[in-house]
Amino acid sequence: MDVNPRKIPHQSRARATVRAIIQATAQVLAHAGFERMTTAMVAERAGASIGSLYQYYPNKQALAAAVIDHYGEVFAARFAEAIAAPGETLARAVDALVATAFQDHPHDPRLHQALIEIAPRVGRAEHRKALSARIAALIEARLRRHADELAADLDPAEAAAMLEAVLETAAHRALEQHPAGLPTARLAAQCRRMIMAYLTCPAGPLEWGRGRTDQ
């Protein structure tokens, strides 16, 4: 099934129509879910004709893919802005990363969960992986600016991949209202504490299989 846009809007009026369609799709996904969503529902909420919608998107799978792409780019842009922000210390850099992950996440919990579930069904699983790799590369670039503050045995590329995974997971849990019951601000503070310890404390020896008798 084709989930790619039929055409790219170039004129301001057309771009405004596409923005309205994407926003309407996000709202319908959050409130009705993907199974109940129809192109007619999206067109009505967007204030556009069904014909206008079909000019750009052939089906509801394409609409969902467009929302995933849109919010992925929004989040990546916010992360890039946070990374580029001036800050003389590693602590300030970590503050910016955590704030972006927790405070600037572009979706509400219902939409967030819907997009995670839909991504593999509309051919966007690889897109999510590529987005994670882009964010990890941004984090790595920032870490290298603070190399003198990092633990001597820490590889910035490996650390960046770890931080991307930690921030994504923690932000997801916050959006999903983690059963541990920690408020988002408290969860973000604990995440910052963990990241700073990871980045600055040398790792001790890791003894795999300690206590096992089958070696």
Side-chain angles (χ1 to χ4, degrees), residues 52-180:
S52 295
L53 184 150
Y54 281 130
Q55 285 184 34
Y56 299 100
Y57 302 105
N59 46 54
K60 74 175 189 177
Q61 288 80 5
L63 288 170
V67 172
I68 292 170
D69 292 347
H70 171 74
Y71 281 105
E73 291 303 316
V74 168
F75 189 57
R78 290 177 179 177
F79 229 98
E81 184 178 355
I83 290 293
E88 297 181 357
T89 65
L90 178 64
R92 290 290 182 87
V94 171
D95 287 345
L97 294 177
V98 172
T100 302
F102 283 88
Q103 298 174 15
D104 295 336
H105 219 287
H107 3 84
D108 67 33
R110 289 172 298 182
L111 177 59
H112 175 79
Q113 188 61 37
L115 296 185
I116 290 176
E117 295 173 356
I118 293 167
R121 300 173 58 182
V122 297
R124 285 302 184 268
E126 292 302 317
H127 176 272
R128 289 182 59 84
K129 290 181 182 178
L131 180 64
S132 292
R134 284 171 55 191
I135 291 175
L138 290 169
I139 295 173
E140 179 186 353
R142 185 58 188 258
L143 291 180
R144 291 189 182 280
R145 289 168 53 184
H146 303 284
D148 59 330
E149 295 184 71
L150 301 177
D153 62 343
L154 196 69
D155 177 80
E158 292 180 357
M162 179 66 73
L163 262 59
E164 190 280 330
V166 167
L167 288 170
E168 180 183 20
T169 301
H172 288 182
R173 292 296 182 269
L175 284 169
E176 293 166 3
Q177 299 180 338
H178 192 274

Side-chain angles (χ1 to χ4, degrees), residues 162-209:
M162 179 66 73
L163 262 59
E164 190 280 330
V166 167
L167 288 170
E168 180 183 20
T169 301
H172 288 182
R173 292 296 182 269
L175 284 169
E176 293 166 3
Q177 299 180 338
H178 192 274
L182 284 177
T184 298
R186 186 67 177 165
L187 187 58
Q190 295 299 325
C191 186
R192 179 195 184 279
R193 182 178 183 180
M194 178 176 64
I195 289 172
M196 284 300 299
Y198 165 67
L199 292 175
T200 58
C201 295
L206 186 61
E207 299 181 23
W208 290 104

